[in-house]
Amino acid sequence: MDAAAVDTRADRENAAFWEMICGSNWETRLGITDSSPASLRKFDDYYRTFYPYLEDWLDPASLAGRDVLEVGLGYGTVGQMIAAAGANYSGLDVARAPVDLMNRRLQTGGYSGCAVQGSVLDAPFPAESFDVVVSIGCLHHTGDVQRAIGEAARMLRPGGRLMMMVYHAYSYQTFARRRAKLVGDWLRDRRGAPYSTGDEALRAVYDANAAGEAAPHTVFLSHKQLTRTAERHALTVSRIGRENFSQRLQLGVIPRNWLLATFGKWIGSDLYAVLEKPGRAKNASRSRAA
Ligand SMILES: C[S@@+](CC[C@H](N)C(=O)[O-])C[C@H]1O[C@@H](n2cnc3c(N)ncnc32)[C@H](O)[C@@H]1O
């Protein structure tokens, strides 16, 4: 499939910002200088150890023979997990570099499927194309998280599911950095606001380029806000939870896995959810009409 139009201002800003693939900081830390299979494996091992709960949310065993779309590819670790699980993989990213890297991974690994450049705000796939949509750390960057979730819902078949991660509005990060402003966020949330925007300094803590500039668009969602958005698009929340806790707060002595299993589940920085589209899922192994 050809690259789709990347044509809103937010899309153009994102396409430029994320051309520096997210994960580049880790690349430097790990001493990775190429995209050889050995280097990618080194990155993937680090990523999977850093997010030990990811596999439980992704449930790779359930993806075999399914048509799976990943939105927001970054370094491609999750995409490779999906392809290696035996899914019919499709990838979508607004920036060129993550798409090229993902296609290299698919080719080198001998997996079927491909990634294309385009925005999830106007996704280049027909309605009801996929059994599963996976999006880790992307939809909150699009400039329109509501529309992005709506597009995912449109592309899902009845009985399909969206497994997603967005930044959590009430985490140790927002408590530490927004303090009094968090009360305003909470009141707006109670009145039905769809998300909170934080501010430049907070956004830069999560995603910044080499010059320290924050990603052009980032919003933060609470449990309630994500649930309301899901309901607006006729999706049912079948599972939702908080994950992730800073490595810095280990203080050199506390095992990070302990922090993840305790504080991470309560005030973790990331909100994971599985949203289901009503209807009966059909058997695996149909091929997608592209
Ligand atoms: C923070 S990275 C996450 C990447 C990866 N899922 C991971 O876990 O490392 C966000 C990704 O979303 C992509 N992205 C941002 N806006 C997008 C949009 N409107 N449509 C598709 N992809 C988008 C970016 O290009 C980037 O690759």
Side-chain angles (χ1 to χ4, degrees):
M1 187 177 286
D2 291 335
V6 170
D7 61 1
T8 68
R9 186 170 151 219
D11 287 342
R12 284 195 299 276
E13 289 170 346
N14 273 320
F17 183 88
W18 296 105
E19 202 49 33
M20 171 73 96
I21 299 180
C22 80
S24 300
N25 299 346
W26 282 1
E27 204 181 41
T28 312
R29 196 179 313 159
L30 296 170
I32 294 173
T33 53
D34 60 24
S35 56
S36 65
S39 295
L40 292 177
R41 210 171 311 119
K42 191 173 182 183
F43 183 94
D44 294 348
D45 288 348
Y46 189 82
Y47 185 105
R48 293 175 68 157
T49 307
F50 197 82
Y51 303 119
Y53 41 78
L54 179 69
E55 201 147 327
D56 183 48
W57 284 97
L58 186 62
D59 191 10
S62 71
L63 303 179
R66 299 277 162 191
D67 294 328
V68 180
L69 171 68
E70 186 192 15
V71 178
L73 313 179
Y75 219 86
T77 308
V78 176
Q80 182 144 355
M81 287 168 78
I82 296 168
N88 307 314
Y89 177 87
S90 299
L92 177 68
D93 199 291
V94 76
R96 187 76 240 165
V99 168
D100 289 344
L101 179 55
M102 192 63 225
N103 281 326
R104 265 204 312 281
R105 279 181 180 263
L106 294 170
Q107 204 176 18
T108 312
Y111 303 115
S112 61
C114 78
V116 296
Q117 187 179 12
S119 173
V120 68
L121 297 180
D122 189 11
F125 298 99
E128 302 191 359
S129 298
F130 298 101
D131 302 303
V132 181
V133 175
V134 173
S135 188
I136 304 294
C138 167
L139 304 182
H140 51 225
H141 287 309
T142 57
D144 191 343
V145 65
Q146 310 261 323
R147 181 176 171 135
I149 292 175
E151 274 292 86
R154 178 186 69 79
M155 291 185 284
L156 280 174
R157 295 184 179 125
R161 69 177 187 272
L162 164 62
M163 197 289 271
M164 58 178 285
M165 181 279 270
V166 288
Y167 293 149
H168 179 213
Y170 308 124
S171 72
Y172 71 93
Q173 296 279 27
T174 58
F175 287 132
R177 292 182 167 81
R178 272 181 83 66
R179 300 197 183 103
K181 289 184 195 154
L182 213 52
V183 176
D185 291 346
W186 183 78
L187 288 172
R188 280 187 288 278
D189 181 358
R190 298 268 301 177
R191 281 191 229 113
Y195 49 76
S196 72
T197 52
D199 46 40
E200 172 85 10
L202 175 66
R203 293 196 295 270
V205 170
Y206 288 77
D207 305 275
N209 62 16
E213 294 155 346
H217 301 273
T218 307
V219 296
F220 302 81
L221 282 90
S222 70
H223 190 130
K224 276 203 172 73
Q225 286 165 328
L226 183 51
T227 303
R228 282 199 297 262
T229 302
E231 284 167 356
R232 199 162 303 134
H233 296 291
L235 298 172
T236 310
V237 179
S238 69
R239 185 179 172 199
I240 189 162
R242 301 151 199 131
E243 305 279 7
N244 206 1
F245 207 79
S246 173
Q247 201 168 23
R248 277 188 224 116
L249 297 179
Q250 279 177 280
L251 307 171
V253 286
I254 307 170
R256 180 163 177 267
N257 279 348
W258 184 83
L259 291 172
L260 292 178
T262 53
F263 293 105
K265 302 281 179 202
W266 177 42
I267 48 170
S269 54
D270 301 339
L271 191 58
Y272 278 76
V274 178
L275 313 181
E276 289 182 353
K277 184 164 179 169
R280 249 177 91 109
K282 300 222 176 79
N283 291 334
S285 283
R286 284 151 309 155
S287 59
R288 182 171 46 81

